[in-house]
């Protein structure tokens, strides 16, 4: 069994009109547990293929082309339900400007070229890091190499699973939730076998950020809250500045 849990979103995917409260609660708790223990989760059945096709690419060059990314967003309140927030729509409200000015959510395409036969000592494809925003949606091909750190600090493979989206928590979400959710370190290694080294690796990372003006402090209210703990107050756009620091 995979170290990273697989959560089935069939009963409360994006295009299910009347999501039952119990289904949302069940998926939400699985999601919230995965994010608080592992920091990563594979989501399956988030959107059926017929629905994706309704958003196919048109003349304007936007739309579904095999991997639907933009239609998957934190709009379903599963996490808010699973974390037992007072306002289950709180996270959606803090991300209301995605794809509009005032929000730095970004889709990044990653291309890892084929590798030379002689590698530099300790060469890897992408060094150890954690992501900086709220959550990251990752679509990887079948080449493999992605690894995530477990609780013991050891790296375990995040093996690609067909038709899933891999989602992980970023630093800002860890700070915001007072470490209830974990921003887990990850990296991409060079495949062991010669054959896979001879093919490039591609992935798509959709880095979700809160709106720039959202104040990341003690705004999260839990149904059964017992403490008045406060996170450091920073603005949502800090995640974007952190990104520049990471890239430099
Ligand atoms: O390419 C991958 O699988 C991981 C990419 C990643 O972790 C990142 O860009 O932050
Ligand atoms: Fe990453």
């Amino acid at each position: 069994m995979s170290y990273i849990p697989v959560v089935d979103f069939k009963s409360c995917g994006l295009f299910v009109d009347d999501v039952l409260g119990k289904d949302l609660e069940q998926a939400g708790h699985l999601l919230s547990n995965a994010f608080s223990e592992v920091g990563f989760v594979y989501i399956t059945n988030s959107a059926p293929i017929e629905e994706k096709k309704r958003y196919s690419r048109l003349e304007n060059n936007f739309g579904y082309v095999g991997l639907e990314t933009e239609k998957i967003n934190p709009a379903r309140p599963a996490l808010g339900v699973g974390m037992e927030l007072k306002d289950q729509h709180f996270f959606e409200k803090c991300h209301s400007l995605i794809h509009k000015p005032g929000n730095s959510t970004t889709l990044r395409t990653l291309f890892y070229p084929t590798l030379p036969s002689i590698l530099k000592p300790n060469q890897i494809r992408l060094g150890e890091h954690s992501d900086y925003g709220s959550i990251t949606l990752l679509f990887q091909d079948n080449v493999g190499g992605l690894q995530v750190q477990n609780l013991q600090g050891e790296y375990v493979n995040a093996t690609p699973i067909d038709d899933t989206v891999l989602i992980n928590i970023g630093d800002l979400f860890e700070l915001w939730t007072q470490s209830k959710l974990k921003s887990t370190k990850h990296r991409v290694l060079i495949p062991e076998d010669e054959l896979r080294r001879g093919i490039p690796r591609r992935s798509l990372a959709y880095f979700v950020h809160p709106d720039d003006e959202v104040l990341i402090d003690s705004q999260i209210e839990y149904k059964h809250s017992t403490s008045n703990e406060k996170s450091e107050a920073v603005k949502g756009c800090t995640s974007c500045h952190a990104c520049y620091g990471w890239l430099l």
Side-chain angles (χ1 to χ4, degrees), residues 22-78:
K22 71 167 177 45
D23 289 335
L24 198 59
E25 250 172 54
Q26 194 182 20
H29 278 118
L30 292 172
L31 203 59
S32 162
N33 290 345
F35 283 149
S36 50
E37 284 158 25
V38 178
F40 271 78
V41 70
Y42 293 101
I43 297 290
T44 184
N45 288 319
S46 59
I49 193 82
E50 316 79 62
E51 290 297 341
K52 292 180 187 173
K53 284 184 184 156
R54 284 177 46 198
Y55 298 89
S56 290
R57 181 160 64 179
L58 302 170
E59 304 80 55
N60 62 10
N61 217 16
F62 289 106
Y64 174 67
V65 279
L67 286 175
E68 176 59 83
T69 52
E70 272 83 359
K71 289 308 295 174
I72 294 167
N73 59 39
R76 278 276 182 256

Side-chain angles (χ1 to χ4, degrees), residues 217-228:
D217 63 357
S218 59
Q219 296 170 82
I220 302 184
E221 289 185 287
Y222 301 92
K223 274 190 197 155
H224 312 289
S225 183
T226 48
S227 86
N228 295 320

Side-chain angles (χ1 to χ4, degrees), residues 64-115:
Y64 174 67
V65 279
L67 286 175
E68 176 59 83
T69 52
E70 272 83 359
K71 289 308 295 174
I72 294 167
N73 59 39
R76 278 276 182 256
L79 193 57
V81 171
M83 290 187 73
E84 306 193 354
L85 303 190
K86 262 196 192 137
D87 174 4
Q88 61 184 43
H89 295 282
F90 175 73
F91 291 136
E92 288 161 71
K93 290 177 187 162
C94 296
H95 293 80
S96 63
L97 296 176
I98 285 182
H99 301 160
K100 298 195 186 104
N103 184 296
S104 339
T105 295
T106 314
L107 178 68
R108 182 184 293 161
T109 61
L110 293 117
F111 178 78
Y112 303 87
T114 51
L115 294 149

Side-chain angles (χ1 to χ4, degrees), residues 108 110 112 126 129 131 138 146 186 188 201 203 205 207 246:
R108 182 184 293 161
L110 293 117
Y112 303 87
L126 179 62
H129 68 282
D131 295 346
L138 187 76
L146 179 66
H186 49 286
V188 181
R201 178 177 187 273
S203 63
F207 297 105
W246 184 67

